[in-house]
Amino acid sequence: MPHFSTLQRLVAAGFVLLLNGCNEEPNTTPTATPTPVQVQAVAFDNSYPVTHRFVGQINNASTSVLGLELGGVIRSVLADVGDRIESGQPLAQLDTSLLQAEAAQLEANRNQILAQLSLNRATRERQQTLQQQGYQSQQQLDELISQEASLQANLSELDAALQANDLRQQKSTLRSPYAGILSQRNLAPGQVVAAGQAVFTLVPEQGAEARIGVPVALLNRLKTEQAFTLLHGKEPIEATLLGRSAEVDSATRTVELRFALPSGRSWLNGDLIYLSLVETVSQRATAIPADLLISGLRGRWNVLVAAPQEDGHILQRRDVTVLHTDQNQVYIDGALIDDEWLVSAGLHKLVQGQHVELVINPETQP
């Protein structure tokens, strides 16, 4: 067996190491390609708007609850709910047979008084002729004159009674005080009604108002000459502020505002109508779409920002505070500054610390 010296062994080991070093490939780490992301520039304002929406009702201040001045039995109903009524149009009539009988009796009494007056005048003429001939005393003439005055007084009383009877017959017919639309009917033929009992509700076609309660804190922001836009269904309505109540509603803690609605169209009493008021809050804020918010630690909200680095941009989470939400838009403040790049799309496939390439959408820039 051959014997190798120590020197020969060292030379052989060095030769093997040299060969292994020549055969090794260089250990290189490939550089990751930055992920393209859409971004928008952060732009803060010194204030942000808050839109308040309040609901109210349409009402006509001239809406009348109609009733008959006299009680009695309803003979006929001449109008119904939904009918368009003209001013002075008959709506209902009471049975007037008792009044007619009373009028006939009064007329008979009046004719009797007239007959007595005629007899009194004829008798007085004869007495005056006899007095001139010296056959009659003055006392008898005075009695006839007094009797005539009494009969005249009775005749005047009967005339007044007939006039009152005629007036009651007129008031037995309920007539519309103005043109409008009947919204309620509370009577039927044959029904007994009391004096003043509500039988119809009449709504005029003009003069409709919107009554909406607004919190006291917002009243100072309103001006009487200010133009207001109300929302009726999906239709915007231009309205004028007529005035406001002088007291706070104890149930809603609001003050009622009255708005004049445009004429020339039919408004339904009790229909809902809305008022939108914009309040400007003096605080730094920027508006972003609501879907750009992501959940953070301890219930905080975060956004992703593309922060500049030496070799490009890297994603960072930033804490933000939501100040106000408005449909799909939120107003935020937090650890952001103007002109930083906020990631505006594709958040579900991005993570903090990821290298990204900016894709700027001009439509999202301020």
Side-chain angles (χ1 to χ4, degrees), residues 292-298 300-307 314-320 334-336 340-343 347-348 350-354:
L292 299 190
L293 293 174
I294 54 179
S295 298
L297 297 176
R298 302 182 183 89
R300 299 281 294 176
W301 287 110
N302 293 163
V303 293
L304 280 181
V305 172
I314 190 171
L315 294 183
Q316 295 180 354
R317 279 177 175 257
R318 301 287 180 83
D319 285 344
V320 295
L336 296 171
E340 281 195 299
W341 294 113
L342 181 69
V343 178
L347 276 71
H348 62 284
L350 301 174
V351 295
Q352 182 176 222
Q354 187 174 351

Side-chain angles (χ1 to χ4, degrees), residues 117-173:
L117 278 173
S118 178
L119 177 62
N120 178 275
R121 291 190 183 101
T123 303
R124 192 177 63 178
E125 289 176 359
R126 289 194 296 268
Q127 293 297 330
Q128 286 176 341
T129 300
L130 292 174
Q131 185 187 33
Q132 291 174 358
Q133 296 174 357
Y135 297 106
Q136 186 64 278
S137 66
Q138 183 63 36
Q139 181 180 356
Q140 292 178 331
L141 283 176
D142 291 342
E143 290 176 355
L144 289 173
I145 292 173
S146 175
Q147 185 183 20
E148 180 184 11
S150 177
L151 291 172
Q152 287 288 358
N154 291 340
L155 182 63
S156 297
E157 182 180 359
L158 286 174
D159 287 340
L162 282 169
Q163 185 177 3
N165 179 276
D166 181 67
L167 185 60
R168 289 200 300 274
Q169 291 195 50
Q170 292 181 27
K171 290 185 177 296
S172 295
T173 299

